[in-house]
Amino acid sequence: MTKRKWVVLAVSSLLLGCGPEEEAAQQSSPVSVNTETPPRYAVNLKADVAGYYVPATDVQHQNWRLKHIAFKDDVALRHWMMTNDRTAQIAPVLLVFEDMEEGTQNPSGNRRTLTLVPAGFGLSDKKVSIQAISAGLGPVTFDGRWVIEGRALQGDLKIGTQSFENITLNTKTESR
């Protein structure tokens, strides 16, 4: 048998094995699906949550301290999600960290900051889920819920392998 005939025979055998009976057997096998993972970007908000949410206590990983999580208004959220006008550090949801290492102030005297644009987020009137990645920090996730009618957040923040459980973030009322 020639090489070409062997290839045709092999492909034909594969195609025969992929008939409807084989598909039915594959569909009946158990599959684990995580239904709590939000779509890449999902917004289902009725409340206005726009603002800066500052941790009530210090949340620091290595030399980086969480400065705030920022949310823009509903119009900005939906516009950003529906357009391809996406650039670094311009997003309706941002995680902002500041460098606490000595001598890292910029010429104006402010600390150096690291702004993470989420790779995905899910926002509803009850829950918040944010996923980002940083070359220096690794994966960063926040899973929480709104408390005090959208004026505060409470949840778990994970930076790399370090977890901060049940942290509270309040809307910014004073400069920090």
Side-chain angles (χ1 to χ4, degrees):
M1 210 180 258
T2 66
K3 184 176 180 181
R4 183 173 182 218
K5 288 182 182 178
W6 277 108
V7 170
V8 170
L9 182 62
V11 170
S12 298
S13 298
L14 285 172
L15 290 174
L16 286 174
C18 293
E21 294 161 0
E22 187 68 25
E23 288 176 20
Q26 289 176 357
Q27 289 176 355
S28 66
S29 62
V31 176
S32 174
V33 177
N34 183 356
T35 58
E36 294 187 20
T37 302
R40 188 164 179 175
Y41 301 105
V43 177
N44 187 15
L45 287 169
K46 293 178 185 139
D48 178 16
V49 298
Y52 296 93
Y53 292 78
V54 179
T57 58
D58 280 348
V59 176
Q60 188 167 333
H61 175 73
Q62 299 166 357
N63 57 307
W64 293 99
R65 180 176 75 179
L66 178 63
K67 185 174 182 182
H68 62 260
I69 299 176
F71 297 94
K72 291 190 178 175
D73 63 26
D74 186 56
V75 173
L77 279 165
R78 292 184 193 284
H79 173 76
W80 187 84
M81 288 174 48
M82 297 167 102
T83 65
N84 288 328
D85 186 23
R86 299 180 182 178
T87 57
Q89 298 187 358
I90 307 281
V93 177
L94 296 171
L95 296 155
V96 180
F97 293 85
E98 60 185 343
D99 193 346
M100 301 307 292
E101 189 173 319
E102 291 297 320
T104 58
Q105 286 84 3
N106 58 29
S108 65
N110 295 325
R111 294 192 177 277
R112 185 172 63 132
T113 60
L114 174 65
T115 301
L116 302 182
V117 174
F121 57 78
L123 307 175
S124 73
D125 287 326
K126 295 184 181 190
K127 293 186 177 187
V128 176
S129 178
I130 304 169
Q131 302 86 33
I133 189 134
S134 163
L137 298 175
V140 178
T141 61
F142 178 79
D143 290 304
R145 67 187 192 293
W146 301 103
V147 292
I148 313 172
E149 296 187 25
R151 297 293 87 199
L153 276 171
Q154 197 167 44
D156 301 331
L157 177 71
K158 186 171 182 182
I159 305 169
T161 58
Q162 187 175 7
S163 295
F164 302 89
E165 295 179 358
N166 205 28
I167 64 169
T168 300
L169 297 102
N170 298 309
T171 52
K172 187 174 182 179
T173 56
E174 60 185 65
S175 64
R176 181 173 174 155

